Amino acid sequence: MAGAITYDRTSAAEGRQGRPLIVTEDVELLDDLLRLCAAAGARPEVHHGVPERGGGWDTAPLVLVGDDAARRVRGAGRRRGVVLVGRDQDDPGVWQRAVEIGADHVLLLPDGEQWLVDRIADVAEGVGPPALTVGVIGGRGGAGSSTLACALAVTSAREGRRTLLVDADPLGGGLDVLLGGETAEGLRWPAFAGSRGRVGGGALEESLPELHALRVLSWDRGDCVVIAPEAVRAVLAAARRRGGTVVVDLPRRIDEGVAEVLAQLDLGLLVVPAELRAVAAAGRVASVVGMVLRDLRVAVRGPYAPGLDDKEVARLLGLPLAGEVPMEAGLPVAQERGAPPGADARGPLARFCSAFWERAAMAGGSV
């Protein structure tokens, strides 16, 4: 059980990464809190009462006060990030004690353990703005969505952003192959198949192959092609907590795992070749994707069939136009030599991607 109490007071330490502070003399409660800190990857500072000046009360990003210590911290300076932790589910006085010490939350164990682990892990990782997360999906097979997803990620990394490229299509052949890194060391999707609850963002990033200054979560060449929705949710949430940009290459079929990805996207790009059959197929994809993803836009790829241009394709689909994805001569040859899509910073595809990210920066994270 966890409840919130709202205060307007702020602390100079708010939002800073550091060690949580535990204040309690209850040995059993301390053991529980130390266990939860270990599960969240944090090493706390422990005191029986309010630490003396410089001891952490003012600077710790999170303070866990045992219910036994509420009276001892009553005179401490008010700050945000204080959680009163107890066990007695039937004690109505806990809320009064929380108000007296200026706590933001009241948490009762064991019911609130997962909430507390998540909160401590946020502190351990240093939580900032989530990554701008963009999904790319083809309006029909062979539309070029994987090429665009790779180019967006390569361009983002080249421009200095923390970038993660996620391959959500187990039947697509592997984005690590498209990036020329199929033998690169690091974990692939099957390693996360059993993930539940919270996945550490830093640990995730460090475990993945690094290619062209970005991290890649792709598939191996094994038989595993299905990841439980809970694992997909946990992994993508961890990726987003690290900030920067996350680009997801989506399959055209929508299952529970893909629905979890769609729910965490900021926007989607529907890549549509400018031909009538492709527009018709894209309309079916858009109708399904649009049930989960609110912001879906059209990226049109030429050459154009008679009577079509990028604006007409967007009109026929009833979706906003993200732009025209340019053709880039020599791209297949460059890929055979190990150069990924978007590697040529002066090429038309990289310029399209750079303009996309520039609009995102000017819009404060949206495009």
PDB file of all heavy atoms in Angstrom, residues 255-273:
ATOM      1  N   ASP A 255       0.651  -7.877 -32.398  1.00  0.00           N
ATOM      2  CA  ASP A 255       0.312  -8.832 -31.355  1.00  0.00           C
ATOM      3  C   ASP A 255       0.426  -8.122 -30.003  1.00  0.00           C
ATOM      4  O   ASP A 255       0.597  -6.896 -29.947  1.00  0.00           O
ATOM      5  CB  ASP A 255       1.208 -10.068 -31.421  1.00  0.00           C
ATOM      6  CG  ASP A 255       2.697  -9.726 -31.344  1.00  0.00           C
ATOM      7  OD1 ASP A 255       3.039  -8.627 -30.850  1.00  0.00           O
ATOM      8  OD2 ASP A 255       3.522 -10.557 -31.767  1.00  0.00           O
ATOM      9  N   GLU A 256       0.335  -8.864 -28.915  1.00  0.00           N
ATOM     10  CA  GLU A 256       0.351  -8.240 -27.598  1.00  0.00           C
ATOM     11  C   GLU A 256       1.686  -7.546 -27.315  1.00  0.00           C
ATOM     12  O   GLU A 256       1.721  -6.482 -26.690  1.00  0.00           O
ATOM     13  CB  GLU A 256       0.057  -9.277 -26.515  1.00  0.00           C
ATOM     14  CG  GLU A 256      -1.378  -9.806 -26.537  1.00  0.00           C
ATOM     15  CD  GLU A 256      -1.645 -10.759 -25.399  1.00  0.00           C
ATOM     16  OE1 GLU A 256      -0.680 -11.159 -24.711  1.00  0.00           O
ATOM     17  OE2 GLU A 256      -2.814 -11.112 -25.183  1.00  0.00           O
ATOM     18  N   GLY A 257       2.783  -8.160 -27.754  1.00  0.00           N
ATOM     19  CA  GLY A 257       4.083  -7.544 -27.535  1.00  0.00           C
ATOM     20  C   GLY A 257       4.234  -6.243 -28.294  1.00  0.00           C
ATOM     21  O   GLY A 257       4.742  -5.243 -27.759  1.00  0.00           O
ATOM     22  N   VAL A 258       3.798  -6.223 -29.550  1.00  0.00           N
ATOM     23  CA  VAL A 258       3.870  -4.997 -30.353  1.00  0.00           C
ATOM     24  C   VAL A 258       2.950  -3.925 -29.770  1.00  0.00           C
ATOM     25  O   VAL A 258       3.284  -2.730 -29.765  1.00  0.00           O
ATOM     26  CB  VAL A 258       3.514  -5.291 -31.819  1.00  0.00           C
ATOM     27  CG1 VAL A 258       3.460  -3.998 -32.632  1.00  0.00           C
ATOM     28  CG2 VAL A 258       4.527  -6.258 -32.422  1.00  0.00           C
ATOM     29  N   ALA A 259       1.790  -4.328 -29.259  1.00  0.00           N
ATOM     30  CA  ALA A 259       0.888  -3.366 -28.614  1.00  0.00           C
ATOM     31  C   ALA A 259       1.557  -2.701 -27.421  1.00  0.00           C
ATOM     32  O   ALA A 259       1.346  -1.502 -27.159  1.00  0.00           O
ATOM     33  CB  ALA A 259      -0.403  -4.068 -28.183  1.00  0.00           C
ATOM     34  N   GLU A 260       2.391  -3.446 -26.676  1.00  0.00           N
ATOM     35  CA  GLU A 260       3.136  -2.862 -25.565  1.00  0.00           C
ATOM     36  C   GLU A 260       4.112  -1.801 -26.059  1.00  0.00           C
ATOM     37  O   GLU A 260       4.294  -0.759 -25.430  1.00  0.00           O
ATOM     38  CB  GLU A 260       3.882  -3.949 -24.795  1.00  0.00           C
ATOM     39  CG  GLU A 260       2.993  -4.874 -23.989  1.00  0.00           C
ATOM     40  CD  GLU A 260       2.385  -4.184 -22.784  1.00  0.00           C
ATOM     41  OE1 GLU A 260       2.777  -3.051 -22.469  1.00  0.00           O
ATOM     42  OE2 GLU A 260       1.494  -4.781 -22.158  1.00  0.00           O
ATOM     43  N   VAL A 261       4.754  -2.070 -27.199  1.00  0.00           N
ATOM     44  CA  VAL A 261       5.661  -1.083 -27.782  1.00  0.00           C
ATOM     45  C   VAL A 261       4.891   0.161 -28.220  1.00  0.00           C
ATOM     46  O   VAL A 261       5.278   1.304 -27.920  1.00  0.00           O
ATOM     47  CB  VAL A 261       6.427  -1.676 -28.979  1.00  0.00           C
ATOM     48  CG1 VAL A 261       7.302  -0.599 -29.624  1.00  0.00           C
ATOM     49  CG2 VAL A 261       7.283  -2.856 -28.541  1.00  0.00           C
ATOM     50  N   LEU A 262       3.787  -0.039 -28.925  1.00  0.00           N
ATOM     51  CA  LEU A 262       2.998   1.088 -29.419  1.00  0.00           C
ATOM     52  C   LEU A 262       2.548   1.990 -28.281  1.00  0.00           C
ATOM     53  O   LEU A 262       2.507   3.222 -28.420  1.00  0.00           O
ATOM     54  CB  LEU A 262       1.784   0.587 -30.193  1.00  0.00           C
ATOM     55  CG  LEU A 262       2.058  -0.113 -31.525  1.00  0.00           C
ATOM     56  CD1 LEU A 262       0.771  -0.718 -32.086  1.00  0.00           C
ATOM     57  CD2 LEU A 262       2.671   0.849 -32.527  1.00  0.00           C
ATOM     58  N   ALA A 263       2.228   1.389 -27.136  1.00  0.00           N
ATOM     59  CA  ALA A 263       1.741   2.175 -26.001  1.00  0.00           C
ATOM     60  C   ALA A 263       2.806   3.095 -25.431  1.00  0.00           C
ATOM     61  O   ALA A 263       2.480   4.073 -24.753  1.00  0.00           O
ATOM     62  CB  ALA A 263       1.227   1.234 -24.909  1.00  0.00           C
ATOM     63  N   GLN A 264       4.095   2.804 -25.710  1.00  0.00           N
ATOM     64  CA  GLN A 264       5.169   3.627 -25.165  1.00  0.00           C
ATOM     65  C   GLN A 264       5.792   4.566 -26.193  1.00  0.00           C
ATOM     66  O   GLN A 264       6.718   5.311 -25.874  1.00  0.00           O
ATOM     67  CB  GLN A 264       6.255   2.734 -24.564  1.00  0.00           C
ATOM     68  CG  GLN A 264       5.773   1.920 -23.367  1.00  0.00           C
ATOM     69  CD  GLN A 264       6.917   1.377 -22.542  1.00  0.00           C
ATOM     70  OE1 GLN A 264       7.823   2.108 -22.150  1.00  0.00           O
ATOM     71  NE2 GLN A 264       6.878   0.088 -22.257  1.00  0.00           N
ATOM     72  N   LEU A 265       5.294   4.550 -27.418  1.00  0.00           N
ATOM     73  CA  LEU A 265       5.830   5.435 -28.447  1.00  0.00           C
ATOM     74  C   LEU A 265       5.315   6.862 -28.279  1.00  0.00           C
ATOM     75  O   LEU A 265       4.169   7.080 -27.900  1.00  0.00           O
ATOM     76  CB  LEU A 265       5.445   4.934 -29.840  1.00  0.00           C
ATOM     77  CG  LEU A 265       5.992   3.582 -30.298  1.00  0.00           C
ATOM     78  CD1 LEU A 265       5.499   3.291 -31.712  1.00  0.00           C
ATOM     79  CD2 LEU A 265       7.509   3.561 -30.235  1.00  0.00           C
ATOM     80  N   ASP A 266       6.175   7.818 -28.602  1.00  0.00           N
ATOM     81  CA  ASP A 266       5.737   9.214 -28.679  1.00  0.00           C
ATOM     82  C   ASP A 266       5.095   9.495 -30.028  1.00  0.00           C
ATOM     83  O   ASP A 266       4.148  10.271 -30.121  1.00  0.00           O
ATOM     84  CB  ASP A 266       6.921  10.153 -28.446  1.00  0.00           C
ATOM     85  CG  ASP A 266       7.452  10.045 -27.027  1.00  0.00           C
ATOM     86  OD1 ASP A 266       6.667  10.248 -26.086  1.00  0.00           O
ATOM     87  OD2 ASP A 266       8.650   9.744 -26.864  1.00  0.00           O
ATOM     88  N   LEU A 267       5.626   8.895 -31.064  1.00  0.00           N
ATOM     89  CA  LEU A 267       5.017   9.041 -32.385  1.00  0.00           C
ATOM     90  C   LEU A 267       5.458   7.886 -33.265  1.00  0.00           C
ATOM     91  O   LEU A 267       6.447   7.203 -32.982  1.00  0.00           O
ATOM     92  CB  LEU A 267       5.377  10.383 -33.032  1.00  0.00           C
ATOM     93  CG  LEU A 267       6.841  10.676 -33.363  1.00  0.00           C
ATOM     94  CD1 LEU A 267       7.141  10.289 -34.809  1.00  0.00           C
ATOM     95  CD2 LEU A 267       7.159  12.141 -33.150  1.00  0.00           C
ATOM     96  N   GLY A 268       4.699   7.669 -34.325  1.00  0.00           N
ATOM     97  CA  GLY A 268       5.020   6.614 -35.274  1.00  0.00           C
ATOM     98  C   GLY A 268       5.125   7.163 -36.683  1.00  0.00           C
ATOM     99  O   GLY A 268       4.429   8.125 -37.044  1.00  0.00           O
ATOM    100  N   LEU A 269       6.016   6.571 -37.463  1.00  0.00           N
ATOM    101  CA  LEU A 269       6.165   6.913 -38.872  1.00  0.00           C
ATOM    102  C   LEU A 269       5.718   5.712 -39.700  1.00  0.00           C
ATOM    103  O   LEU A 269       6.270   4.614 -39.561  1.00  0.00           O
ATOM    104  CB  LEU A 269       7.620   7.265 -39.198  1.00  0.00           C
ATOM    105  CG  LEU A 269       8.185   8.526 -38.526  1.00  0.00           C
ATOM    106  CD1 LEU A 269       9.653   8.702 -38.903  1.00  0.00           C
ATOM    107  CD2 LEU A 269       7.380   9.756 -38.913  1.00  0.00           C
ATOM    108  N   LEU A 270       4.719   5.922 -40.542  1.00  0.00           N
ATOM    109  CA  LEU A 270       4.212   4.887 -41.435  1.00  0.00           C
ATOM    110  C   LEU A 270       4.846   5.111 -42.803  1.00  0.00           C
ATOM    111  O   LEU A 270       4.555   6.105 -43.478  1.00  0.00           O
ATOM    112  CB  LEU A 270       2.693   4.969 -41.517  1.00  0.00           C
ATOM    113  CG  LEU A 270       1.970   3.963 -42.405  1.00  0.00           C
ATOM    114  CD1 LEU A 270       2.166   2.542 -41.885  1.00  0.00           C
ATOM    115  CD2 LEU A 270       0.482   4.293 -42.484  1.00  0.00           C
ATOM    116  N   VAL A 271       5.741   4.216 -43.216  1.00  0.00           N
ATOM    117  CA  VAL A 271       6.460   4.370 -44.481  1.00  0.00           C
ATOM    118  C   VAL A 271       5.615   3.777 -45.603  1.00  0.00           C
ATOM    119  O   VAL A 271       5.294   2.583 -45.590  1.00  0.00           O
ATOM    120  CB  VAL A 271       7.836   3.675 -44.421  1.00  0.00           C
ATOM    121  CG1 VAL A 271       8.610   3.927 -45.726  1.00  0.00           C
ATOM    122  CG2 VAL A 271       8.640   4.175 -43.225  1.00  0.00           C
ATOM    123  N   VAL A 272       5.274   4.621 -46.571  1.00  0.00           N
ATOM    124  CA  VAL A 272       4.336   4.208 -47.611  1.00  0.00           C
ATOM    125  C   VAL A 272       4.913   4.518 -48.987  1.00  0.00           C
ATOM    126  O   VAL A 272       5.120   5.686 -49.328  1.00  0.00           O
ATOM    127  CB  VAL A 272       2.982   4.944 -47.454  1.00  0.00           C
ATOM    128  CG1 VAL A 272       1.985   4.435 -48.490  1.00  0.00           C
ATOM    129  CG2 VAL A 272       2.436   4.772 -46.047  1.00  0.00           C
ATOM    130  N   PRO A 273       5.187   3.503 -49.799  1.00  0.00           N
ATOM    131  CA  PRO A 273       5.539   3.761 -51.197  1.00  0.00           C
ATOM    132  C   PRO A 273       4.367   4.425 -51.911  1.00  0.00           C
ATOM    133  O   PRO A 273       3.197   4.116 -51.652  1.00  0.00           O
ATOM    134  CB  PRO A 273       5.813   2.362 -51.757  1.00  0.00           C
ATOM    135  CG  PRO A 273       6.149   1.529 -50.554  1.00  0.00           C
ATOM    136  CD  PRO A 273       5.299   2.077 -49.453  1.00  0.00           C
TER     137      PRO A 273
END
